[in-house]
């Protein structure tokens, strides 16, 4: 049985090292592709995104470049929304879908206002104050010092121009709720029990909408269970990938 390639899409305002525990766990047994998104990390081109769909188009172009015809696709938070957009644009290449700590609905008017206001703030003030403020929402207050330091380092290393552009693009993204009802591959919905950005209720709604899905709630984690509960996350993801491999 061939192990299908795994593509990992990071969230905002992070970079591909958000997936370090998963890269280390799975790269010995399958091809793992974990790019820095446009404008983040060491991505080329470094120019910020202009339209939300550009993220998914970049991933498709990367798969073309790497000659990957089929993959399991995992995304967390904004990365989960990008994964949904990938399924909208090229579903024939996706054999399994992992949606972690994310939600499919379009932004409300208030959500649009908040994203634009945050973008303005980041351009005005830089990333550090924002990173200090949201760190213990990204990960739980009781998360390990090592995880907190890693998350804070990713946030403060992100260019304010890129973070602001992504926030504005994300404010205009489409609604994926109807799309989820048409997903024809196995899906894993994952969420931290203490996530306040995308609470368990959002994950339950996605699980209900997806025709073939499983739901896992990670106790003792907030918005980044793949880092906060890396061992458990890897076990759940590994079991899911084994099912995808068997199907593919």
């Amino acid at each position: 049985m061939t192990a299908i390639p795994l593509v990992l899409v990071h969230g905002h305002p992070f970079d591909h090292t958000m997936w370090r525990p998963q890269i280390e766990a799975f790269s010995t047994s399958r091809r793992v592709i974990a790019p820095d998104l446009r404008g983040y990390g060491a991505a080329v081109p470094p120019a910020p995104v202009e339209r939300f769909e550009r993220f998914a188009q970049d991933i498709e172009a990367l798969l073309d470049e790497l000659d990957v015809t089929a993959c399991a696709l995992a995304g967390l938070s904004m990365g989960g929304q990008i994964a949904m957009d990938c399924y909208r644009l090229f579903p024939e290449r996706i054999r399994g879908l992992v949606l972690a700590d994310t939600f499919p609905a379009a932004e409300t008017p208030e959500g649009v206002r908040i994203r634009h206001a945050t973008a303005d703030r980041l351009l005005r003030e830089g990333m550090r104050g924002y990173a200090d403020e949201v760190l213990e929402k990204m990960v739980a207050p009781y998360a390990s010092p090592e995880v907190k330091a890693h998350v804070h380092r990713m946030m403060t290393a992100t260019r304010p121009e890129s973070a602001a552009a992504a926030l504005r693009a994300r404010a205009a993204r489409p609604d994926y709720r109807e799309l989820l009802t048409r997903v024809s591959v196995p899906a894993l919905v994952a969420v931290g029990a203490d996530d306040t950005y995308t609470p368990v209720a959002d994950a339950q709604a996605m699980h209900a909408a997806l025709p073939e899905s499983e739901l896992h709630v990670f106790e003792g984690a907030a918005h980044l269970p793949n880092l906060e509960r890396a061992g458990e996350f890897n076990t759940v993801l590994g079991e899911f990938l084994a099912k995808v491999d068997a199907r593919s």
Side-chain angles (χ1 to χ4, degrees):
M1 186 170 62
T2 303
I4 197 161
L6 172 63
V7 179
L8 300 167
V9 187
H10 69 77
H12 163 92
F14 309 128
D15 58 48
H16 81 278
T17 68
M18 188 202 89
W19 294 110
R20 186 179 296 149
Q22 289 70 51
I23 296 168
E24 291 174 354
F26 293 102
S27 59
T28 57
S29 58
R30 69 180 65 240
R31 190 176 190 182
V32 178
I33 301 161
D36 284 330
L37 296 171
R38 179 179 291 251
Y40 292 85
V44 178
V49 73
E50 294 177 351
R51 306 180 324 278
F52 191 72
E53 65 192 36
R54 172 58 69 186
F55 286 129
Q57 291 167 345
D58 285 348
I59 291 170
E60 185 174 27
L62 178 62
L63 296 180
D64 288 342
E65 181 183 330
L66 299 176
D67 196 28
V68 174
T69 57
C71 66
L73 181 63
L76 186 146
S77 192
M78 181 179 79
Q81 293 165 339
I82 294 169
M84 292 182 242
D85 211 47
C86 289
Y87 195 88
R88 179 178 70 88
L89 293 176
F90 49 95
E92 70 284 352
R93 297 175 88 152
I94 299 170
R95 298 290 182 269
L97 192 60
V98 181
L99 301 174
D101 299 82
T102 191
F103 68 100
E107 288 294 349
T108 63
E110 177 65 6
V112 170
R113 186 195 68 76
I114 290 171
R115 291 205 190 277
H116 281 281
T118 304
D120 292 341
R121 175 192 174 183
L122 297 181
L123 292 174
R124 187 172 62 248
E125 301 177 6
M127 297 298 293
R128 183 163 294 277
Y130 170 79
D132 292 347
E133 187 177 298
V134 304
L135 177 61
E136 291 193 348
K137 288 182 69 179
M138 293 294 186
V139 296
Y142 49 77
S144 75
E146 294 79 12
V147 166
K148 286 185 178 181
H150 179 196
V151 172
H152 193 268
R153 190 165 55 246
M154 287 190 292
M155 289 194 285
T156 54
T158 297
R159 294 180 288 278
E161 298 79 9
S162 297
L167 284 165
R168 298 192 202 284
R170 202 172 169 195
R173 72 182 183 281
D175 191 316
Y176 301 111
R177 287 176 291 185
E178 194 274 333
L179 174 74
L180 292 185
T181 67
R182 295 186 280 109
V183 170
S184 60
V185 297
L188 169 64
V189 179
V191 66
D194 295 334
D195 191 344
T196 57
Y197 284 121
T198 53
V200 172
D202 288 351
Q204 291 170 332
M206 287 194 298
H207 172 50
L210 287 156
E212 185 184 348
S213 68
E214 54 191 90
L215 170 66
H216 193 92
V217 180
F218 293 87
E219 299 296 334
H223 196 54
L224 295 169
N226 72 300
L227 287 173
E228 297 171 88
R229 290 290 176 266
E232 183 185 357
F233 191 95
N234 289 349
T235 297
V236 172
L237 179 57
E239 290 171 353
F240 175 75
L241 291 172
K243 295 174 186 175
V244 174
D245 290 343
R247 284 270 293 261
S248 300

